[in-house]
């Protein structure tokens, strides 16, 4: 069901050993450049480069990548559809005056805008997936600690992270047991099964939390987890690659700002 | 329901971030206060966060069959209060954007406001208003959770409408369209979420009422009475 988290893949990708900050700068830089772009060209360019990097250098399975990429895009498509209908502007193809204050139309300008936003979503999603597939959360915690994130928040984040996998295991087990006993055969039945599933998982995770408290007390926890992690050394080739990627993307953003779809 | 990375123009992404940061700051302040009083609260808050993560990445049996998910914030807001819920929610949203590519980083501020601030606050308000009345405990939890989910979706629609006002009718008419599109999945979903979380609450009352007594969610006598009935 939900076993396959991107996190598992991140633990094994070929870019794992690259310095975490370098990878973060590449991903965050791509997010910012996509937002600053005024045309659809630059986000698509960024998406292309990052996708190629993930598939070729990080050796991510294309089918897994495709699934992770297109799922979220569906929701984006729905929103973009609404914007195309609302934005209005020059060159009307179709319009429908529903109420005096409410009309839907499809125009040249609105299609341009919709396509532009959709390309930004594609670029942004690829940047997120780049971070997701190449950087395990455990590496990020180390960066967060160095970036002076408040201790309470970081500890909370680490416990949440840990408990996700615990809860997921239990959830899958209970869910499969329910499924085998026809727990999801009708709508009413599914609601009931889902509620017992969530309830039992809540109680189980609560107990896991209490166990964790005892375990931490026994190990002299005093309000701050030690974060262990190998410092991944900054390597010149990867830093140079990220800098040139961001520089070229910035030039593309600047040079293509006037290009429209049609 | 999260806004996707890249969907909001930069000025709105920054605007929601600026709005979200003070809420998070206040949440962290509250979190520190809770932890200073009761150190054991940290693991419990942590597993609640894990629970919200799992719940909001699950697909609920929804009437339209679309991919909609509950937010789970109502229950946490009733148990721990709205501001701590915002901090938990912010962490969960960050994980979701980095584990599942749900939501995003530039739009994290907007998603924190809708799912982590307004939703829990609305749910909590309902819960506080009804807690000490004679209204049925489970109905109170149902309302709080359903309203928290509904408000999350209304605010998300508002965030989208503000960023992309319609040519005719401006923000108002694009708000109506976004509300309309998402209503198809979100209204039944909010009701289902309310029912499910109320049942979860009932299940906890039956099996482990001491959790709720300890958190002082409802007066002890009422929880004991409900557990005894069951």
């Amino acid at each position: 069901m939900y076993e396959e988290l991107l996190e598992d893949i991140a633990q094994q990708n070929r870019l794992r050993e690259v310095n975490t900050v370098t990878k973060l700068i590449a991903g965050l830089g791509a997010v910012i450049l996509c937002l600053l772009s005024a045309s659809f060209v630059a986000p698509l360019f960024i998406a292309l480069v990052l996708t190629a990097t993930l598939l070729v250098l990080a050796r991510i399975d294309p089918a897994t990548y495709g699934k992770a990429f297109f799922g979220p895009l569906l929701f984006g498509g729905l929103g973009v559809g609404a914007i195309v209908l609302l934005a209005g502007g020059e060159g009307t193809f179709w319009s429908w005056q529903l109420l005096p204050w409410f009309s839907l139309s499809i125009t040249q300008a609105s299609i341009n805008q919709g396509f532009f936003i959709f390309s930004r979503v594609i670029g942004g999603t690829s940047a997120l997936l780049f971070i997701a597939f190449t950087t395990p959360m455990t590496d990020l915690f180390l960066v967060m600690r160095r970036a002076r994130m408040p201790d309470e928040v970081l500890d909370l984040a680490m416990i949440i992270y840990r408990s996700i996998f615990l809860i997921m295991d239990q959830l899958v087990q209970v869910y499969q047991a329910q499924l085998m006993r026809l727990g999801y055969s009708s709508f009413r039945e599914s609601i009931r099964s889902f509620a017992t599933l969530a309830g039992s998982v809540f109680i189980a995770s609560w107990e896991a939390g209490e166990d964790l408290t005892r375990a931490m007390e026994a190990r002299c926890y005093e309000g701050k987890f030690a974060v262990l992690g190998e410092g991944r050394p900054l390597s010149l080739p990867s830093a140079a690659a990220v800098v040139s990627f961001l520089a070229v993307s910035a030039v593309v953003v600047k040079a293509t700002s006037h290009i429209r779809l049609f | 329901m999260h806004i996707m990375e890249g969907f909001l123009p930069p000025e709105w992404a920054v605007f929601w971030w600026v709005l979200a940061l003070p809420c998070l700051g206040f949440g962290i302040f509250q979190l520190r206060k809770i932890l200073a009083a009761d150190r054991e609260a940290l693991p419990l808050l942590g597993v609640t966060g894990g629970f919200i993560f799992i719940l909001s990445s699950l697909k609920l049996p929804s009437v339209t069959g679309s991919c909609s998910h509950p937010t789970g914030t109502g229950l946490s807001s009733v148990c721990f209060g709205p501001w701590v819920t915002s901090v938990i929610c912010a962490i969960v949203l960050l994980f979701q954007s980095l584990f599942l590519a749900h939501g995003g980083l530039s739009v994290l501020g907007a998603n924190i406001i809708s799912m982590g601030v307004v939703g829990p606050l609305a749910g909590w308000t309902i819960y506080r208003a009804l807690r000490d009345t004679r209204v049925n405990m489970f109905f109170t939890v149902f309302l709080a959770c359903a309203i928290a989910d509904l408000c999350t979706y209304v605010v998300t629609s508002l965030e989208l409408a503000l960023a992309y006002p319609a040519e005719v009718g401006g923000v108002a008419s694009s708000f109506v369209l976004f509300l309309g599109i998402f209503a198809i999945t979100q209204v039944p979903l909010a009701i289902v979420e309310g029912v499910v979380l109320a049942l979860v609450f009932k299940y906890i009352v039956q099996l482990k009422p001491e959790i709720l007594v300890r958190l002082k969610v409802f007066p002890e006598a009422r929880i004991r009475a409900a557990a005894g009935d069951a």
Side-chain angles (χ1 to χ4, degrees):
Chain A
M1 187 169 61
Y2 305 100
E3 293 94 323
E4 187 145 73
L5 283 174
L6 304 189
E7 180 71 3
D8 301 336
I9 302 163
Q11 297 280 2
Q12 294 162 12
N13 85 91
R14 293 294 180 95
L15 292 178
R16 168 102 207 247
E17 298 306 318
V18 175
N19 179 272
T20 315
V21 178
T22 322
K23 287 184 285 193
L24 275 184
I25 290 177
L28 294 179
V31 165
I32 293 171
L33 285 172
C34 281
L35 283 185
L36 292 180
S37 167
S39 149
F40 67 91
V41 182
L44 292 185
F45 170 77
I46 289 172
L48 205 67
V49 175
L50 290 179
T51 305
T53 313
L54 280 177
L55 295 183
V56 178
L57 291 182
R59 303 273 180 87
I60 305 295
D61 173 43
T64 315
Y65 182 74
K67 233 169 74 187
F69 202 101
F70 288 109
L73 278 193
L74 280 178
F75 178 74
L78 198 67
V80 166
I83 291 169
V84 169
L85 289 174
L86 286 168
E90 303 278 296
T92 311
F93 294 125
W94 174 86
S95 82
W96 183 32
Q97 185 79 32
L98 195 59
L99 293 166
W101 52 273
F102 189 87
S103 83
L104 300 176
S105 64
I106 297 179
T107 67
Q108 190 182 339
S110 74
I111 292 179
N112 270 330
Q113 198 192 358
F115 187 72
F116 164 55
I117 294 166
F118 198 59
S119 73
R120 224 165 46 191
V121 171
I122 293 176
T125 307
S126 70
L128 277 187
L129 286 177
F130 177 76
I131 301 180
F133 275 124
T134 60
T135 318
M137 211 62 208
T138 38
D139 289 1
L140 285 182
F141 288 138
L142 199 64
V143 175
M144 288 178 193
R145 176 78 87 205
R146 291 209 182 118
R148 302 282 164 85
M149 186 186 251
D151 289 336
E152 296 85 355
V153 180
L154 190 57
D155 282 5
L156 188 57
M158 292 197 314
I159 297 180
I160 293 179
Y161 171 78
R162 176 83 191 94
S163 64
I164 285 172
F165 296 95
L166 280 177
I167 299 174
M168 185 83 81
D169 272 354
Q170 277 168 346
L171 187 100
V172 170
Q173 279 177 14
V174 178
Y175 175 79
Q176 278 167 351
Q178 286 180 325
L179 202 62
M180 265 172 35
R181 291 166 179 78
L182 302 179
Y184 292 89
S185 51
S186 70
F187 182 70
R188 254 185 93 88
E189 199 62 36
S190 341
I191 299 271
R192 222 181 66 86
S193 299
F194 189 83
T196 29
L197 172 66
S200 66
V201 170
F202 185 81
I203 291 177
S205 48
W206 186 274
E207 278 167 359
E210 283 176 341
D211 289 346
L212 185 61
T213 311
R214 265 183 300 247
M216 278 160 44
E217 300 272 290
R219 288 166 181 75
C220 310
Y221 172 75
E222 45 169 12
K224 188 176 174 181
F225 280 139
V227 185
L228 287 182
E230 312 122 81
R232 306 190 191 289
L234 184 71
S235 78
L236 202 61
S238 59
V242 168
V243 169
S244 46
F245 159 63
L246 291 178
V248 171
S249 305
V251 171
V252 174
V253 167
K254 191 97 183 100
T256 60
S257 58
H258 58 280
I259 298 180
R260 296 278 167 276
L261 185 60
F262 66 102
Chain B
M1 200 178 87
H2 310 334
I3 300 179
M4 298 201 43
E5 178 58 59
F7 208 88
L8 291 181
E11 60 276 18
W12 283 104
V14 171
F15 174 81
W16 295 112
W17 261 112
V18 169
L19 222 57
L21 284 178
C23 299
L24 282 184
F26 189 65
I28 293 173
F29 170 73
Q30 293 261 317
L31 180 67
R32 282 196 176 139
K33 239 171 54 182
I34 291 180
L35 291 183
D38 179 10
R39 283 263 296 286
E40 288 189 11
L42 186 68
L44 299 178
L45 286 168
V47 293
T48 312
F51 185 71
I52 293 183
F53 178 93
I54 299 287
L55 207 59
S56 61
S57 6
L58 278 183
K59 290 170 191 114
L60 257 190
S62 161
V63 181
T64 53
S66 78
C67 159
S68 18
H69 60 83
T71 59
T73 51
L75 199 60
S76 156
S77 171
V78 165
C79 290
F80 298 110
W83 300 106
V84 174
T85 303
S86 335
V87 180
I88 296 178
C89 220
I91 298 172
V92 167
L93 283 168
L94 179 71
F95 283 174
Q96 275 179 341
S97 61
L98 294 180
F99 278 15
L100 309 162
H102 273 207
L105 298 176
S106 68
V107 292
L108 192 60
N111 285 331
I112 290 175
I113 289 290
S114 63
M115 184 171 147
V117 177
V118 180
L121 213 57
W124 186 77
T125 311
I126 298 279
Y127 152 72
R128 281 313 289 250
L130 296 180
R131 186 178 69 168
D132 298 321
T133 62
R134 297 171 58 88
V135 177
N136 181 291
M137 221 162 55
F138 303 118
F139 186 68
T140 306
V141 174
F142 161 76
L143 266 188
C145 296
I147 297 285
D149 184 297
L150 263 187
C151 285
T152 301
Y153 128 78
V154 170
V155 173
T156 308
S157 304
L158 184 68
E159 286 168 347
L160 292 174
L162 282 171
Y164 298 106
E167 188 189 29
V168 184
V171 173
S173 79
S174 98
F175 184 47
V176 169
L177 184 69
F178 280 117
L179 271 183
I181 289 181
F182 298 130
I184 303 165
T185 59
Q186 290 294 324
V187 171
L189 181 71
I191 296 169
V192 171
E193 166 157 7
V195 171
V196 164
L197 288 180
L199 286 174
V200 169
F201 186 76
K202 189 168 175 197
Y203 193 75
I204 300 172
V205 165
Q206 285 171 4
L207 289 183
K208 220 169 154 52
E210 54 274 25
I211 295 178
L212 303 170
V213 172
R214 180 170 155 197
L215 292 171
K216 301 190 185 71
V217 177
F218 284 98
E220 188 173 346
R222 283 181 75 183
I223 295 176
R224 296 271 175 231
D229 288 347

